[in-house]
Amino acid sequence: MALLHIDGLQKAYVGPDGSRHQVVDIPRFELAEGAAVALAGPSGSGKTTFLNLVAGILAPDAGHVRIDGTDVAQLPEHERDRFRARHVGYIFQTFNLLQGFTCLENVLLGMSFGHGIDRARAEALLRRVGLGERLHHFPRQLSTGQQQRVAVARALAGKPRLVLADEPTGNLDPRHAQEALALIREVCAENGSALLLVSHDRDILARFGMVASLADINRASRATSSGGAS
Amino acid sequence: MTLPLLVRRSLRQHALSTAVTALSLSLAGGLLMTVWVMRQQARQTFERMDGGWDAVLGARSSKLQLVLNAIFHLEASPGNIKATDVALLASNPAVRAVVPIAMGDNYQGFRIVGVTTNLFAGHEYAPGHAFKVGEGRVFEDNLREAVVGSFAARKLGFKVGTEFQPYHGLNYSSNPRDNVQHEDTYVVVGILEPSNTPADRVVWIPVAGLQNMAGHDPSAAEDYSAALVKLRDPAAGFRLDQLYNKQGDRLTFAWPIGTVMAQLFDKIGWFDKVLALVAWLVAVVAAASVLASIYNSMSARRRDIAILRALGARRGTVFASIVLEAASVAAMGAMGGFVVHIGLLAGAGVIVRAQTGVLIEPFQPGWVWLWAPAALVGLAALAGVVPAFKAYKVDVASSLAPDS
């Protein structure tokens, strides 16, 4: 059974000159429960917009985003926030850690908006990603790889059903990129979370059994590509 | 945990602006509380401060001038009254005691008041409190001796045995050439214990000594500046008020003293209101500084707010955290305000004591200690609504780095 079911999803932006730019136009997309799928797409192909729509950060112009039977696209904003906090983990390319909060607090904050704070689990997860000695360090005191691991711990701490990863290794060197990816997949597998990762890194994509091209599922992306925008 | 943590961390991240804003709120809170306490305490204290007398008889003038002159030793004397007027009043059956006083001289700015020894013979300046000579003795009525109030003695460096020559007039000039010193030499024979009344600022000498001081007009040697009056029945004051103020036109009978002082505060009520208005304006400006401080930091906070929202924080949570942050800065300011308040009260108390001899006791719990900090926090929270609304409106997707 599909955990994520997308149907007729559309999103367009209006440019400064009033022109309308279709960014996402996905007739249908499904992701099975516990599956790990990589979406390949170049910069500007609408990857982030697509993930933001799935996460409920953005509301679509049309279409449905059903996660575990709930149509996120139809929920009011505050319900989408609540749903995201409880069911979706989001790993950003730039980590998006809160600089004024310690590693542990970053993870606890993520939990606090969802099912609630479980300090023991947060600490265990940070130890699990090798940051047991740095619970009370601030992000600026960590290396890039360590910051990424905090972001992973934060996204997975609430045991989300769906983990979205937007170029999660984009800022890491190849060795750290592979380590981070292994960690994400490992913890997702442990939690039984489905993973939807978007990247344009071929080395990363090669690690996935299921890889789809965003251009194949997103008609807007196809149009952009055929139009020679890139 | 979430909201307090968000607020605590935000305050720490913006520590400098938080400290500066809290400091301005401290000053505002301190000023607000001090103005309120001082206006209340000053009024209460001065209205009660009658020196144990029910009334003052003096030359035709305003009652207020008479009271300020005879009780508080502040104003100029409105003129002299005859000894026969004092004797007539003293013979009135409704009058329990009359103590005539004479003034017109000073010693280095401290008023010299001629009085009879009756003042020190058991007269209670407040219930259960009579003047006591702490060191030395009371002067002899027919000698050039002085009993000095505790504050005046300390400031002048007077001790028992100190000799001094009075200066003519009530005011002492910083230019020595403007001061005319009498030839008469007085010796300090007693220092009064502190009474926390205007008497502490006075150099007391025998009334005859002042009347007959070399250089004074001999024709006024029998006159007094005023007479302090204690009635047997306070209601008799009404009859005497009629007698002297309505039927007569030569003398003024200032009664009751507390009401006369209340009139003073009523007259300067506008000043009271201006002070309060200024204090409120300072509080509003301080609250506006909270608004400016947080609002100006919103650009830098956009990303953090977007991250919080992406993690699942609702708009309401973000809004509440900003309002709570503003209130927290104000709460810190209010706490600091108590320190400022205590400092200002202590300073104001010293000034009032130095100028009037009256000890104001401002460190008494009052409602202002509750409502002023609460008002400050409320104002700041209200000011925080503006940046909070800006935070509320932050667009998550565009504020998170859109790299692809």
Side-chain angles (χ1 to χ4, degrees), chain B residues 42-380:
Chain B
R43 185 171 191 134
Q44 282 175 13
T45 306
F46 278 83
E47 283 180 18
R48 281 201 307 259
M49 191 59 63
D50 56 13
W53 304 104
D54 293 315
V56 179
L57 180 70
R60 197 67 170 176
S61 63
S62 76
K63 291 179 179 178
L64 183 59
Q65 184 183 3
L66 208 51
V67 169
L68 288 175
N69 174 252
I71 302 291
F72 289 92
H73 307 293
L74 290 174
E75 268 279 1
S77 170
N80 288 343
I81 56 174
K82 299 291 179 189
T84 50
D85 292 323
V86 175
L88 188 64
L89 177 65
S91 66
N92 191 312
V95 173
R96 175 178 290 166
V98 173
V99 172
I101 59 172
M103 55 190 81
D105 293 325
N106 78 90
Y107 187 76
Q108 294 184 3
F110 286 90
R111 208 168 269 206
I112 295 174
V113 177
V115 71
T116 61
T117 51
N118 291 346
L119 184 70
F120 309 109
H123 167 73
E124 292 187 348
Y125 59 85
H129 296 279
F131 290 115
K132 284 182 190 161
V133 179
E135 188 186 337
R137 58 174 173 79
V138 176
F139 55 69
E140 294 289 338
D141 274 327
N142 55 350
L143 295 178
R144 287 176 180 163
E145 294 179 339
V147 169
V148 187
S150 59
F151 186 82
R154 193 170 72 247
K155 288 293 180 185
L156 293 170
F158 277 7
K159 292 181 170 45
V160 172
T162 302
E163 293 186 345
F164 67 96
Q165 288 174 274
Y167 290 93
H168 187 64
L170 295 177
N171 300 314
Y172 182 75
S173 172
S174 55
N175 184 351
R177 284 182 299 185
D178 294 341
N179 297 311
V180 178
Q181 198 160 23
H182 290 292
E183 292 172 359
D184 302 25
T185 299
Y186 278 77
V187 59
V188 176
V189 295
I191 309 287
L192 289 177
E193 285 185 357
S195 65
N196 296 326
T197 69
D200 291 352
R201 300 185 75 255
V202 172
V203 177
W204 302 95
I205 65 172
V207 69
L210 200 134
Q211 288 170 318
N212 297 297
M213 190 89 67
H216 282 180
D217 181 4
S219 66
E222 297 291 315
D223 294 350
Y224 299 108
S225 299
L228 306 171
V229 184
K230 187 79 181 166
L231 302 172
R232 290 188 192 284
D233 172 14
F238 182 75
R239 292 195 299 276
L240 291 169
D241 178 58
Q242 290 285 320
L243 178 68
Y244 286 107
N245 300 329
K246 305 286 190 310
Q247 296 163 14
D249 60 359
R250 202 167 50 80
L251 299 170
T252 293
F253 187 74
W255 170 89
I257 291 171
T259 305
V260 173
M261 286 309 292
Q263 287 168 357
L264 168 67
F265 283 96
D266 290 341
K267 281 179 183 172
I268 61 169
W270 64 269
F271 182 67
D272 210 31
K273 289 190 176 77
V274 168
L275 266 183
L277 182 67
V278 169
W280 272 114
L281 280 177
V282 170
V284 169
V285 169
S289 73
V290 175
L291 186 158
S293 161
I294 299 179
Y295 194 88
N296 288 339
S297 69
M298 286 314 292
S299 294
R301 295 176 187 219
R302 269 174 59 112
R303 188 173 172 81
D304 278 3
I305 291 166
I307 294 170
L308 286 171
R309 293 289 320 284
L311 291 176
R314 282 184 259 176
R315 286 188 193 273
T317 304
V318 173
F319 183 91
S321 75
I322 300 290
V323 172
L324 192 61
E325 181 179 334
S328 300
V329 175
M332 285 191 283
M335 282 190 277
F338 278 101
V339 177
V340 175
H341 178 50
I342 289 167
L344 286 175
L345 281 182
V350 168
I351 291 170
V352 171
R353 179 109 168 83
Q355 294 300 315
T356 67
V358 176
L359 181 69
I360 287 182
E361 294 177 9
F363 299 107
Q364 295 171 3
W367 286 110
V368 69
W369 288 1
L370 291 178
W371 69 253
L376 212 57
V377 170
L379 270 176

Side-chain angles (χ1 to χ4, degrees), chain A residues 70-199:
Chain A
T70 302
D71 190 349
V72 179
Q74 302 304 314
L75 294 176
E77 188 183 49
H78 67 278
E79 290 291 335
R80 290 206 308 272
D81 293 336
R82 180 189 288 263
F83 188 88
R84 178 169 63 255
R86 287 170 174 260
H87 301 290
V88 180
Y90 203 145
I91 304 169
F92 303 91
Q93 177 181 357
T94 48
F95 318 145
N96 282 341
L97 296 179
L98 293 158
Q99 296 299 315
F101 295 75
T102 64
C103 297
L104 181 60
E105 287 168 348
N106 263 281
V107 177
L108 291 175
L109 260 181
M111 297 172 102
S112 70
F113 300 124
H115 295 289
I117 286 172
D118 183 344
R119 193 182 180 90
R121 175 168 165 74
E123 289 179 356
L125 200 55
L126 281 167
R127 276 194 287 274
R128 168 84 177 73
V129 299
L131 294 171
E133 302 299 316
R134 296 182 178 268
L135 298 180
H136 304 293
H137 283 59
F138 289 91
R140 64 178 177 277
Q141 298 170 309
L142 304 177
S143 68
T144 310
Q146 287 171 327
Q147 288 185 45
Q148 178 63 308
R149 278 185 269 162
V150 177
V152 170
R154 185 178 66 183
L156 302 174
K159 293 187 178 174
R161 302 289 307 279
L162 174 63
V163 174
L164 305 173
D166 184 6
E167 299 275 15
T169 58
N171 287 333
L172 301 179
D173 60 54
R175 185 172 69 84
H176 283 109
Q178 295 297 340
E179 283 178 8
L181 180 63
L183 180 67
I184 292 168
R185 295 197 64 174
E186 203 173 292
V187 181
C188 279
E190 282 175 14
N191 288 347
S193 309
L195 172 64
L196 180 59
L197 178 145
V198 295
S199 178

